[in-house]
Amino acid sequence: MHFYQEGEPAAFEELYFRHSGKVYAFFKARLNQSEAEDLFQNTFMRVHQARARFNVDLPFLPWIFSIARNLLTDHFRKHRPVPLEENKLISLADRRIESEEKRSRASWDEILRLLPDEQKRLIERRFGEEESFEDIARIDAISQVSARKRLNRAIQGLRRHFKVQGGRNEKK
């Protein structure tokens, strides 16, 4: 990367040769071909634009993947509807709030207080800090499937609480 920062064209070709397949596969696993190609190109454009800010003492691959992940996150925010689970969580929270005696607005912290600490932190990370399942899995050293299952358990815990508190105590 140092040589690329110094303006050596062959250095960029080497970086591209080494990492383009991994970056493209990252996008292709998550998007259709056209979207994957667009974000792939934008990633290398951003690498080029930000090359002067890269710290050559750090590894290149995590840096380029942070650029790719940020582009993917922005893409999903612009082009994808809110997932159904998030809509359901918001709806459940709204019903719980409306049923309170004084109809006061409960804060996010009050809702999360109903959960064990691990589940509360997971919901804060996913919805409050908007971490992707990929980030959660990487940081917690678990698979994305496990991260999704853990979040689903937390949401189910909130659902059970809302059903009991709402006087419905429904069974699935």
Side-chain angles (χ1 to χ4, degrees):
M1 184 65 178
H2 173 73
F3 294 114
Y4 178 50
Q5 286 177 323
E6 298 295 321
E8 181 65 40
F12 175 77
E13 291 173 14
E14 180 65 25
L15 287 172
Y16 185 86
F17 176 76
R18 284 186 190 176
H19 304 294
S20 62
K22 295 172 196 159
V23 173
Y24 183 74
F26 170 78
F27 289 122
K28 187 65 179 140
R30 292 158 179 82
L31 302 166
N32 67 42
Q33 184 172 352
S34 174
E35 293 170 322
E37 289 172 359
D38 287 346
L39 292 183
F40 171 76
Q41 290 176 356
N42 287 339
T43 300
F44 280 93
M45 185 171 43
R46 294 260 177 103
V47 165
H48 179 71
Q49 292 168 341
R51 70 187 181 281
R53 294 190 306 261
F54 177 71
N55 181 348
V56 294
D57 295 328
L58 298 174
F60 178 75
L61 194 59
W63 183 66
I64 194 170
F65 270 100
S66 69
I67 292 170
R69 185 191 71 237
N70 290 339
L71 285 169
L72 183 66
T73 300
D74 290 345
H75 174 79
F76 282 138
R77 284 185 185 142
K78 291 176 186 172
H79 297 95
R80 303 287 174 157
V82 176
L84 186 57
E85 286 299 316
E86 291 173 320
N87 284 336
K88 286 181 179 180
L89 179 62
I90 292 167
S91 174
L92 289 170
D94 286 345
R95 276 190 257 149
R96 169 73 171 107
I97 290 167
E98 290 173 7
S99 69
E100 291 181 0
E101 287 180 23
K102 295 182 181 178
R103 294 195 177 275
S104 62
R105 299 295 290 178
S107 70
W108 184 244
D109 291 335
E110 290 170 333
I111 293 170
L112 292 181
R113 190 178 63 217
L114 305 170
L115 296 173
D117 289 340
E118 180 182 344
Q119 290 181 349
K120 176 172 70 172
R121 183 66 189 129
L122 181 60
I123 286 185
E124 287 172 340
R125 290 171 61 196
R126 178 69 179 124
F127 300 116
E129 299 168 18
E130 298 182 357
E131 284 186 19
S132 67
F133 285 113
E134 180 182 1
D135 291 339
I136 292 168
R138 182 178 39 78
I139 292 167
D140 292 354
I142 59 174
S143 69
Q144 287 186 40
V145 171
S146 293
R148 289 178 188 276
K149 285 181 179 180
R150 289 178 183 182
L151 181 64
N152 190 42
R153 279 188 224 116
I155 292 170
Q156 293 301 324
L158 286 174
R159 283 184 180 149
R160 281 189 298 276
H161 180 77
F162 291 150
K163 287 178 182 178
V164 170
Q165 292 297 314
R168 289 176 285 208
N169 201 5
E170 301 168 348
K171 292 185 180 180
K172 285 190 163 185

